[in-house]
Amino acid sequence: SPARKNSSYKMNKQGQKGYFLSAITSFLIAVSVSTGDEWIDGMRGVDLPPIISDVATKHIHLAPGTPSHSTMTVTFSTSETCTPLVLLYSVDHPIMDKPRVIFGDDTRQYTSNNLLRDGSIADAYTSDWIHHVRVQGLEPASLYHYYCTCASYAFEEDHDGVSDMRHLLPASIHITEQEGLMKHKLNGGSFRTAPEPVAKGVVNNESIDFAVCGDVGQTADSRSTYQNIAKQHDDGNGFAAILHAGDLSYADGEQSRWDTWLELVDGIFSRRIPLLTSPGNHEIETDGITKDIFVPYQTRFAMPEIRPFEMEPAVLTNSTTPSVFVDGRYDWGNSFYATTYGPACILFMNSYTASYVGSNQYQWVESKLQSIDRRATPWVFVVVHCPMYNTFAFHQNEAQTNEFREAMEP
């Protein structure tokens, strides 16, 4: 649109058939296949470094990294700053008979003064410390169990002068040396990595299953939707991931609602089913003072980014979640990105940043589509919040949708 092209953006067709997954109401797509995911209450071996602290962890969720068959990001929060770590154990690879310790180096926190729906400015909110621990070097199509905790660098020595971790573990952790089993109450879960990609040019006939939803929020119906996904996952569907088309928490500037939403999904699915997200208008959350946008969404999640995010404030916007939005800029990071899962290449796009010809998003998606090997990845999905066409009277002829459709439609 001319209005966007003349705005403060500083921006330095390939017609492919695929599928656009859009959020206009909540929906679920599911096909069955079993992965055998299960919970465990312990890990073999007691030979851990003396590093575990008793800092409480919460709000655990997962996102595949790059590449998805060998990397997973484990995200969790703590109310105090700490050095995050993940204890990892694999059932599928018995040679890994002792927990692997992975330290995190991506801890984020944000403070916001968001606009509320009535136009007022919310009281300043400072988030918990949000840790994104990237676990790399994983085996493809493999089941792993993990625990989230923080490091304590103090240690004690036993009578032989050897460091003894048993003095350092929280009281909730119990070690039975006779069985060689560490049973504890650290928060954690399990995940399965994506299948190994096939060689370029090789036909990939593998099947894989995803759950797809959008506009879910945190109502009784939201809980029912997430419970339905979790039940199908446990009953044999074994979803590789949940693809969320935006409008996650409906915090709308009330930042404590992000905390309650994360508590909701943490209790249902997020510790064991990876979550991939596309931003919706309820993730814009314009700051009432700085005019920054998408800050809670960018801080709380760590999608498989192409490059670090770039953001320009929405100087003309006086709404926390505008339905029509062509102000400001939010590129890269969790805004738009892609991942490959077995036979599927999934592109996540942002309806609420520039998509006109020549924009960062346009150039990226054009290049990405041209690079896809349709024999190795015959399925191509695009997840985006605003449908290019819909029958909902309230969302017709919106500026960002028109711009997106004019640029992106083959």
Side-chain angles (χ1 to χ4, degrees):
S1 68
R4 187 189 287 277
K5 291 177 183 177
N6 293 331
S7 72
S8 61
Y9 282 92
K10 298 176 182 177
M11 297 293 176
N12 284 320
K13 264 186 178 171
Q14 175 79 2
Q16 294 245 16
K17 291 185 178 179
Y19 292 86
F20 276 74
L21 307 178
S22 306
I24 194 77
T25 56
S26 297
F27 62 94
L28 168 68
I29 299 174
V31 185
S32 293
V33 74
S34 177
T35 65
D37 282 5
E38 60 184 8
W39 294 86
I40 61 171
D41 64 354
M43 297 190 294
R44 284 183 291 173
V46 297
D47 205 9
L48 288 175
I51 53 177
I52 299 177
S53 78
D54 58 359
V55 174
T57 60
K58 58 185 176 180
H59 301 167
I60 300 170
H61 51 102
L62 304 164
T66 303
S68 61
H69 68 277
S70 63
T71 309
M72 185 69 70
T73 298
V74 180
T75 295
F76 60 95
S77 299
T78 57
S79 58
E80 56 188 281
T81 185
C82 71
T83 299
L85 63 88
V86 166
L87 305 177
L88 187 73
Y89 175 72
S90 172
V91 174
D92 290 346
H93 301 279
I95 192 171
M96 187 179 169
D97 61 354
K98 296 176 182 178
R100 176 182 163 197
V101 181
I102 302 98
F103 287 89
D105 60 1
D106 182 359
T107 291
R108 311 173 188 177
Q109 188 182 48
Y110 70 93
T111 298
S112 68
N113 299 274
N114 283 125
L115 289 169
L116 299 177
R117 294 179 72 89
D118 63 4
S120 63
I121 297 177
D123 293 337
Y125 168 95
T126 299
S127 72
D128 288 327
W129 296 93
I130 302 162
H131 311 286
H132 305 290
V133 181
R134 289 174 176 83
V135 182
Q136 299 175 308
L138 303 172
E139 295 294 326
S142 298
L143 178 64
Y144 290 88
H145 301 281
Y146 67 91
Y147 297 89
C148 304
T149 184
C150 290
S152 173
Y153 291 105
F155 68 92
E156 298 180 20
E157 295 182 348
D158 65 15
H159 62 278
D160 294 323
V162 179
S163 60
D164 184 356
M165 75 169 192
R166 288 175 293 178
H167 300 298
L168 303 162
L169 298 174
S172 61
I173 298 180
H174 308 284
I175 298 176
T176 305
E177 291 190 28
Q178 183 178 3
E179 298 176 357
L181 182 67
M182 185 177 77
K183 293 186 177 181
H184 52 74
K185 298 179 182 178
L186 289 179
N187 288 327
S190 61
F191 62 81
R192 184 174 292 277
T193 49
E196 185 171 14
V198 301
K200 189 175 180 61
V202 175
V203 176
N204 191 341
N205 293 319
E206 186 178 6
S207 63
I208 197 165
D209 305 297
F210 302 95
V212 185
C213 61
D215 286 296
V216 183
Q218 48 186 305
T219 65
D221 289 335
S222 310
R223 179 180 294 275
S224 177
T225 296
Y226 287 137
Q227 287 174 335
N228 182 34
I229 293 173
K231 184 177 186 301
Q232 292 191 49
H233 176 80
D234 295 339
D235 286 350
N237 286 28
F239 298 124
I242 296 174
L243 315 182
H244 200 303
D247 287 1
L248 288 85
S249 71
Y250 285 79
D252 296 350
E254 298 180 40
Q255 292 305 306
S256 61
R257 287 180 57 77
W258 273 111
D259 298 324
T260 55
W261 182 82
L262 286 163
E263 290 167 6
L264 171 67
V265 299
D266 189 350
I268 300 175
F269 73 83
S270 67
R271 297 187 183 195
R272 54 205 172 97
I273 311 176
L275 177 66
L276 290 158
T277 62
S278 175
N281 61 304
H282 287 268
E283 277 72 67
I284 295 173
E285 296 194 289
T286 312
D287 190 286
I289 297 177
T290 66
K291 295 294 186 176
D292 289 344
I293 51 177
F294 292 102
V295 171
Y297 172 72
Q298 175 61 36
T299 305
R300 291 180 180 272
F301 296 92
M303 296 298 111
E305 65 180 24
I306 310 155
R307 53 189 279 189
F309 81 97
E310 298 174 3
M311 189 270 293
E312 292 180 0
V315 295
L316 303 178
T317 298
N318 292 306
S319 171
T320 184
T321 56
S323 291
V324 179
F325 185 77
V326 289
D327 193 10
R329 179 172 68 91
Y330 172 45
D331 289 346
W332 315 110
N334 298 334
S335 180
F336 51 83
Y337 59 93
T339 188
T340 298
Y341 254 85
C345 180
I346 312 164
L347 285 69
F348 292 81
M349 300 185 68
N350 186 356
S351 304
Y352 301 99
T353 194
S355 57
Y356 59 80
V357 175
S359 65
N360 285 339
Q361 183 168 217
Y362 180 91
Q363 292 183 73
W364 167 73
V365 74
E366 181 180 45
S367 174
K368 183 63 181 178
L369 288 173
Q370 291 173 347
S371 71
I372 297 172
D373 180 352
R374 295 303 294 267
R375 293 173 67 84
T377 49
W379 293 94
V380 177
F381 296 93
V382 176
V383 182
V384 63
H385 187 68
C386 292
M388 290 194 289
Y389 297 94
N390 72 82
T391 58
F392 190 9
F394 186 69
H395 289 289
Q396 294 296 315
N397 202 36
E398 294 183 341
Q400 77 280 346
T401 304
N402 293 342
E403 179 182 299
F404 188 94
R405 182 176 60 246
E406 290 167 8
M408 302 295 173
E409 189 174 45

